[in-house]
Amino acid sequence: MTDLLIKNIGVLATPLGKCAVSGSAQGEIQLVENAEIAVEGGKISYAGAESGAPNAAAVVDAGGRLVTPGLVDAHTHLVFGGFRQNELEMKLAGVQYLDILRAGGGILSTVRATRAAGEDELYAKAAAFADDMLRHGTTTVETKSGYGLDTETEMKQLRVAARISREHAIDVVSTYMGAHAFPDEYKENREAFVDFLVNEALPQVASSGLAEFADVFAETAVFDIAQSRRVLTTARELGLGVKIHADEINPIGGAQLAAELGAISADHLLQASDEGLDALAASGVIAVCLPATSFYLDKNFARARTMIEKGIPVAIATDFNPGSSPSFNMQFAMTVACLKLRLTPKEALCAATLNAAASIGRADSKGSIEPGKDADIVIWDAPDLNFIFYRYGNNQVHKVIKSGRVIE
Ligand code: IZC
Ligand code: ZN
């Protein structure tokens, strides 16, 4: 028997398929009016027109509302100590993000706070974020380490992420980002830090099984292309998937490196050159755009329309972190994706669900509402798809269903 039936759905809006979609297909969203969804064993068993379905153990009446897949936030830095509200006035006075980092603040101040924090304390803080994300419609979240830089603290962050995935409803996908900044200990000897990452940290992380992907902050004054290549090539050899913070502030060729390495995603890409975008298009790398970060840093926005024209699958994420994007609200990122990346609501829905799932290796089980996929579903306080992009700033979620369970 059906475990759960969601009936009286005004509009069911979902992309379809088990892989990232690009070009005009990114805007192909299936819309079914007067729909229903049946769930069995935490998976979707039926999604489509109302069929006067069989008895179900539990019924949720969607009340004529919009229903979409659960949102997938494919790029966050969820586990961190402290906050960085002290940087706000510096930013307003014109101090640049990278200058704060060069002066020993920014990421490095979060590194100090994260090293000092106990594991339970980090867990309690990140788990509270995760629960609130879920209430805002995010059913799967990717999170990166990178606020330890030393192996002990990086492992502490990764254990916290794994514990959230185990003990909370939200699904967590983990990425190791020991190459997020150069720690004070290696300030004068950067190559030695890259040696440490390649020879010690990456092998230990890979054998722990606590991370699926590795990521590098490839940027001026952070990891240059040669250093990023070394780290990510080693990660790949150790069996980790590869991601990269590419061309966020300066166009140093991060997109080209992502293409060269066959990365699953290249993230940010505000400054990516035409050559960089062509390389992504040719190699099937997913572009993860982070419009809330552009907004918060008061920078330009990634050229998402050009990406779609070139056939690059586009995903969007919040980049939640204590410095450049202190919001985990995917709904805000989705509205900014429409207004500033110029995505249509249909393209943006795909970017926040199916393409986002593909960018973290989950397109086979998440990102769309169709039989066989996980029953991760959002019922919105909205009559149609445009509505959730048009309103912003408030939480428009009516109910979240995670793995077939109604979240109260
Ligand atoms: O803590 O500033 N861009 N890494 C690269 C970040 C932003 C996170 C941070
Ligand atoms: Zn990031």
Side-chain angles (χ1 to χ4, degrees):
M1 189 168 77
T2 301
D3 298 327
L4 176 71
L5 180 70
I6 307 169
K7 64 170 199 183
N8 199 15
I9 296 170
V11 187
L12 167 60
T14 182
L16 292 174
K18 294 190 169 182
C19 57
V21 291
S22 59
S24 60
Q26 173 138 15
E28 285 169 16
I29 295 294
Q30 186 189 65
L31 298 174
V32 185
E33 291 181 8
N34 304 318
E36 69 185 19
I37 300 170
V39 177
E40 264 179 61
K43 309 260 183 221
I44 294 160
S45 55
Y46 174 82
E50 255 168 359
S51 63
N55 291 338
V59 175
V60 170
D61 186 335
R65 294 178 175 85
L66 169 74
V67 168
T68 72
L71 306 175
V72 177
D73 193 346
H75 181 140
T76 81
H77 306 248
L78 181 65
V79 182
F80 57 84
F83 279 100
R84 307 223 294 264
Q85 70 273 33
N86 60 313
E87 290 175 13
L88 177 59
E89 287 191 279
M90 288 189 236
K91 276 159 50 84
L92 294 175
V95 184
Q96 294 297 306
Y97 175 85
L98 283 180
D99 290 330
I100 296 174
L101 177 60
R102 279 192 191 97
I107 294 170
L108 292 175
S109 75
T110 302
V111 167
R112 287 188 288 276
T114 308
R115 286 179 178 180
E119 191 160 332
D120 287 341
E121 179 192 339
L122 283 178
Y123 169 75
K125 180 174 173 179
F129 292 146
D131 289 343
D132 210 10
M133 285 175 155
L134 189 62
R135 288 191 284 271
H136 283 78
T138 299
T139 48
T140 300
V141 61
E142 184 265 9
T143 179
K144 304 169 197 304
S145 66
Y147 292 128
L149 309 179
D150 62 52
T151 317
E152 185 190 330
T153 316
E154 293 287 317
M155 294 293 281
K156 179 170 73 176
Q157 283 188 276
L158 293 172
R159 283 193 303 272
V160 166
R163 186 172 160 201
I164 294 169
S165 205
R166 268 198 318 276
E167 296 182 9
H168 289 254
I170 202 163
D171 283 315
V172 180
V173 173
S174 261
T175 298
Y176 167 65
M177 199 175 178
H180 194 192
F182 288 91
D184 284 340
E185 310 88 270
Y186 288 92
K187 206 163 49 185
E188 308 303 334
N189 193 358
R190 291 182 157 212
E191 284 310 318
F193 185 59
V194 179
D195 290 341
F196 158 77
L197 290 173
V198 163
N199 297 325
E200 293 179 44
L202 271 165
Q204 194 178 329
V205 168
S207 67
S208 76
L210 284 169
E212 226 171 293
F213 299 99
D215 197 337
V216 173
F217 190 12
E219 186 55 73
T220 306
V222 198
F223 292 84
D224 66 24
I225 291 297
Q227 292 164 336
S228 303
R229 183 184 286 112
R230 251 189 99 195
V231 171
L232 292 176
T233 303
T234 304
R236 201 176 53 176
E237 284 164 7
L238 289 164
L240 298 171
V242 168
K243 292 175 160 284
I244 180 167
H245 282 57
D247 303 324
E248 176 184 0
I249 298 165
N250 295 293
I252 67 166
Q256 290 90 325
L257 182 63
E260 173 192 321
L261 296 173
I264 192 165
S265 74
D267 301 33
H268 285 292
L269 300 168
L270 278 57
Q271 306 293 343
S273 63
D274 286 337
E275 300 73 55
L277 296 186
D278 287 339
L280 294 181
S283 59
V285 179
I286 299 168
V288 179
C289 296
L290 306 164
T293 308
S294 292
F295 165 81
Y296 199 75
L297 292 178
D298 199 14
K299 297 287 182 202
N300 64 309
F301 289 81
R303 293 187 289 151
R305 284 254 62 86
T306 308
M307 293 172 184
I308 288 181
E309 277 160 26
K310 287 182 186 288
I312 302 167
V314 173
I316 56 174
T318 64
D319 193 21
F320 177 54
N321 75 74
S324 60
S325 185
S327 166
F328 51 66
N329 189 346
M330 276 291 281
Q331 298 167 50
F332 175 70
M334 287 157 67
T335 291
V336 182
C338 284
L339 296 178
K340 296 294 187 179
L341 300 183
R342 312 304 290 185
L343 298 185
T344 66
K346 287 178 177 170
E347 289 167 340
L349 179 69
C350 173
T353 56
L354 182 60
N355 280 2
S359 78
I360 54 171
R362 292 292 186 281
D364 54 343
S365 58
K366 298 185 182 297
S368 65
I369 295 179
E370 52 193 313
K373 288 217 181 179
D374 295 346
D376 296 353
I377 294 160
V378 179
I379 304 174
W380 297 91
D381 258 327
D384 58 39
L385 185 60
N386 282 350
F387 198 87
I388 58 171
F389 294 89
Y390 144 82
R391 295 288 311 277
Y392 76 100
N394 58 317
N395 184 8
Q396 303 181 73
V397 166
H398 174 68
K399 258 192 180 60
V400 174
I401 288 121
K402 180 70 191 75
S403 305
R405 211 165 54 81
V406 180
I407 301 298
E408 298 301 343

